[in-house]
Amino acid sequence: MTLRKWTSLLLLSCLAACQQTAPSNEQQSSTPLIQGVNFVEQVVAKPEKIVIPYKKYVLDNGLTVILHQDNSDPLVHLDVTYHVGSAREQVGKSGFAHFFEHMMFQGSENVGDEQHFKIVTEAGGQLNGTTNSDRTNYYETVPANQLEKVLWLEADRMGFLLDAVTQEKFEVQRETVKNERGQNYDNRPYGLLRERVAEALYPAGHPYSWQTIGYLEDLDRVNVNDLKAFFLRWYGPNNATITIGGDIDEAQTLALVKKYFASIPRGPEVAMPEKLPVTLDSDRYISMEDNVHLPLLYISFPTVHGRHQDEAALDVLSSILGGSKTSLLYKNLVKNQLAVQASVNHPCAELACSFNLLALPHPASGKSLADLEHIIRQTLVEFEQRGVEDDDLVKVKAQMEANMIFGLQSVSGKVSTLAAYQTFTGDANYIAQDVARYNQVTKADVMRVFNQYIKGQHSVIMSVVPKGQLALVAAKDNFTPPARQIAPTSEIAKEDVEVRKAKDNFDRSVMPKVPVNKAVDVPKMWQHTMANGIKVLGSQSTETPTTSMLIKIPAGHYYEMPEKAGLVSLLADMLNESTTKRSAEDMSQALQKLGSSVSISAGTQYLNVNINSLTKNLMPTLALVYEKLLSPAFINSEFARNKSNAIQGVINSKKDASYLASAAYRRLLHQDNIAALPVGGTEISLANISLEDVKAFYQQQVKPFNSQLIVVSDLPEQQMMTAIELFKSWQGKGRELQLTLPLPDTKAGVIYLVNKDQAAQSAIRIGKRSMKQDIVGEFYKSNLMNFILGGAFNSHINLNLREDKGYTYGAGSSFRGNKFSGQFFAGAEVRADVTDKSLVELLKEISNYAQHGISDSELEFMRSAINQNDALKYETPRAKLSFLAQILEHDLTPDFVKTRSKIVASISKQEINALAKKHLNIDEMFIVVVGDAKTLTPQLKALGYSVINYEI
């Protein structure tokens, strides 16, 4: 729900313009035309060119239809994009577009309340909706046989929604939106930054001067009929594009689109909004106190608008200044430990873009926000003197090529690309033009946009400081946004809302029947063990020329001593730094020029190396990976910087309620062992770690024996094995993990209360220790049992707290585990004023389910939802990688999938209910609440619980 970067996944340097057929006669489409459906164009695949082939049509009511056939997997992705976002709202009526994203899931004339999620989930699919400043989209990915059903759902909410929008639903979703704002804005450190900057950057009344989430007072001011009027203005078929991709029959799909959408009447005509240049007459200094640990400086320059001819050059400029370890801001602020973080970006939306520079000072540096502002401005001078280098352009273009190709690995990626281009340019095949403008950027272009939009130009300078520390601001505030001028309007009455009605020759109240699901094959795989003990599992995927790889080294968090928790995380940081052969900056530059990404991170049991590369660049990429793993430099200054930043990150995280809740819950679950501590460590344990500790652990544990290498590539088995031969020279064996995690003596039936002053929301966690993870045993069956309680959107817990009460943005429960321990967990982030009520409802749902169990209809829902989603499990290389990793981790054969399917199909109501009684005993669980202790303590004690103040 934020401003999106238009080009993030849409660029490819080798792309050339596709030849399109002219839209003049039916013979140009191989799909027979239907009356009322007008053929527009066809784009076809071409040898050695990467395009997204499609056919485009327009119905007589103005609905644009784009069909992309891809039979590689038995699934379809459907996207309905409405060209309306928060930029189409009026002053005083902000948040309407986002509000309607919520309302569109609340049932329509022929679809019952809460049934969108239930129907799609039961079909084995996934769905959601998103809103930003310029568009709203709704999407589903489902098995191919479910296409007609989701077309029926989308058509019903496009043409038959308003009669089902009741005052009661309106009130509940208004509360849900408030909870979303609380969770993502008001209760999050720096959460109001963008709202405050936008108010200062844009003129009063500019459609980007408010956030997509809107203002609470605006939501409180309006009634349900205001919302209906907004829908009627913007959600007509002539302001929408429906894009369907996947395993489809084009003629049949077109006929179904006509059946369900053609009779929906047009809405009012929609004109493109005017793109007004944004200028500032002086620097605007603003500030805000927040519940944060570190102050933050944010400088924002207004620039152009999305797809402006200068956007691409400004993107290149942002990369040079703050896009990676090779950037100038990194060198001038982060590398020398003056800041814990510094970055630059240039987000663009339909009407405007902004060039943003951000920095958080390191406390040990003694630098103020004013100092950071001076360094940033000196960095701009340095850039002007340095100019643009050849590698700057090479890196950006290589990364865009890679981003584009990886973005086309899924049907949803291709469909989303087509939908966005159609919505914002009117040309779904705009991709060639988009690529060309980046490929054509020159050094002179970058210098020109720097001089035009940044050098000597005015900006908004925002200081965010800890509460009570306004003296830390970069400069005294010199700008106050003018008060919003909200014109008085009369309340819209029900009779003033004239609903457009469709006339059909079929009964829309009957949900379409679907054919039998197509069988889904488990990916074919191959397996080897290298002489040095690396276990290799791979699969070939030929849809894109890419290779994705995961190396898991048995050297994770569980190998650490509790007093030095975070050691592996620091080791991962060091492996991402310099090697003995090249600096961190040179390594970053080498990878960027290949368009490759390599990230090393710590997990509980493994040190994980994630690699993504275009296959044509795989060999040089793997050579760099090998260098990272075998030749780390372990430079003192780099260690000091990473250790210090890690400590500051932990301290800063304690301002976040969710972090505090998770930390308290983890500690109470395990108490005095390594599992009680976060993978990243605590400020105390991190302070105990020396560079010699990291080196010693590396020498002991970063070895190939029993490591796992999982790969999905378009290369066949033999070529892939040849590609990884360089790892054969890596030798050694680390110590085996010997770990027991005894049960804690944490008190059950009490509330552990963690204080967070004046928290807008409270975080609740309920749970206990439970089973270790298994694949086809009681742990797996218990998660099937939990699916109805808290494992799906339509679960008891979420429907109660979110959809019925409006207490939260989302709530749920699950069984979690690994080889060493397990847990049952339930929780939510809730409005502060209903913390006690939310806790009562959570406990009630768990107890009721333990007592009464699952119903017959719920059991069938669970079976259908779990056993019909196989098509989504293996679609992308990333999904295949996760699947293969599971097989290797647990020493499975692919037959485990069939075994699980049989369990789902055969598990009885009696077994489900017995598991619920066994594992959901509230008396065995403890409770963690994070919120304002002064307010919550008497409320929680009034519930009859003992309340223990708990510190993190």
Side-chain angles (χ1 to χ4, degrees), residues 536-555:
V536 182
L537 186 61
S539 180
Q540 186 176 18
S541 177
T542 59
E543 292 177 45
T544 55
T546 59
T547 297
S548 294
M549 187 181 297
L550 170 63
I551 302 174
K552 299 172 64 178
I553 304 168

Side-chain angles (χ1 to χ4, degrees), residues 50 405-406 409 541-547 613-616 714:
I50 297 182
I405 294 176
F406 276 97
Q409 288 182 328
S541 177
T542 59
E543 292 177 45
T544 55
T546 59
T547 297
S613 172
L614 299 180
T615 301
K616 69 179 183 179
D714 63 318

Side-chain angles (χ1 to χ4, degrees), residues 171 265 374 579 737 845 867 878 881:
E171 296 294 346
H374 176 72
T579 70
L737 180 59
E845 290 296 348
N867 267 353
R878 177 175 292 186
L881 205 65

Side-chain angles (χ1 to χ4, degrees), residues 170 270 288 323 343 396 453 455 532 655 694 711 821 828 851:
F170 172 80
V270 176
M288 177 181 74
S343 62
V396 170
Y453 301 105
K455 180 184 177 182
N532 59 2
K655 299 297 183 178
V694 174
V711 61
S821 70
Q851 180 180 354

Side-chain angles (χ1 to χ4, degrees), residues 108-171:
S108 46
E109 186 174 320
N110 301 294
V111 180
D113 296 354
E114 324 299 348
Q115 290 301 292
H116 278 84
F117 273 96
K118 183 176 188 297
I119 289 168
V120 175
T121 302
E122 189 172 27
Q126 299 171 351
L127 75 160
N128 213 329
T130 66
T131 310
N132 65 26
S133 58
D134 305 304
R135 65 100 186 98
T136 305
N137 76 329
Y138 303 89
Y139 56 89
E140 297 90 5
T141 306
V142 293
N145 66 319
Q146 302 287 338
L147 174 60
E148 184 174 3
K149 189 179 292 183
V150 293
L151 286 169
W152 170 74
L153 285 169
E154 288 294 352
D156 213 63
R157 60 181 169 191
M158 180 185 285
F160 302 86
L161 179 78
L162 292 190
D163 285 345
V165 175
T166 64
Q167 185 67 32
E168 181 182 7
K169 291 180 184 178
F170 172 80
E171 296 294 346

Side-chain angles (χ1 to χ4, degrees), residues 40 50 172 210 247 252 299 304 328 390 433 440 442 446 459 498 519 521 564 609 674 725 791 827 830 933:
V40 178
I50 297 182
V172 170
W210 57 84
D247 188 11
Q252 184 181 61
I299 303 175
V304 290
L328 296 180
D390 290 338
Q433 295 170 249
Q440 292 165 6
T442 65
V446 180
S459 61
E498 186 177 345
D521 295 326
K564 294 192 177 183
V609 184
I674 192 62
E725 279 187 351
V830 303

Side-chain angles (χ1 to χ4, degrees), residues 164-181:
V165 175
T166 64
Q167 185 67 32
E168 181 182 7
K169 291 180 184 178
F170 172 80
E171 296 294 346
V172 170
Q173 290 309 308
R174 176 154 58 186
E175 294 307 309
T176 301
V177 171
K178 289 180 181 180
N179 281 307
E180 183 176 354
R181 181 182 167 97

Side-chain angles (χ1 to χ4, degrees), residues 709-784:
L709 191 157
I710 306 105
V711 61
V712 178
S713 175
D714 63 318
L715 291 178
E717 175 183 353
Q718 191 53 53
Q719 284 184 249
M720 194 65 235
M721 289 304 298
T722 300
I724 62 175
E725 279 187 351
L726 80 164
F727 290 104
K728 286 183 177 180
S729 59
W730 184 21
Q731 296 294 319
K733 177 181 179 180
R735 74 173 175 88
E736 294 186 9
L737 180 59
Q738 302 293 330
L739 179 67
T740 57
L741 299 176
L743 292 173
D745 58 8
T746 300
K747 292 182 181 179
V750 302
I751 295 175
Y752 293 86
L753 178 59
V754 181
N755 181 51
K756 185 176 187 294
D757 288 333
Q758 299 177 335
Q761 284 196 314
S762 300
I764 300 175
R765 305 287 186 268
I766 302 170
K768 63 171 186 172
R769 283 283 288 274
S770 189
M771 302 159 284
K772 298 177 184 178
Q773 184 184 29
D774 62 49
I775 301 303
V776 293
E778 188 169 345
F779 176 88
Y780 176 69
K781 293 177 181 178
S782 294
N783 265 311
L784 298 180

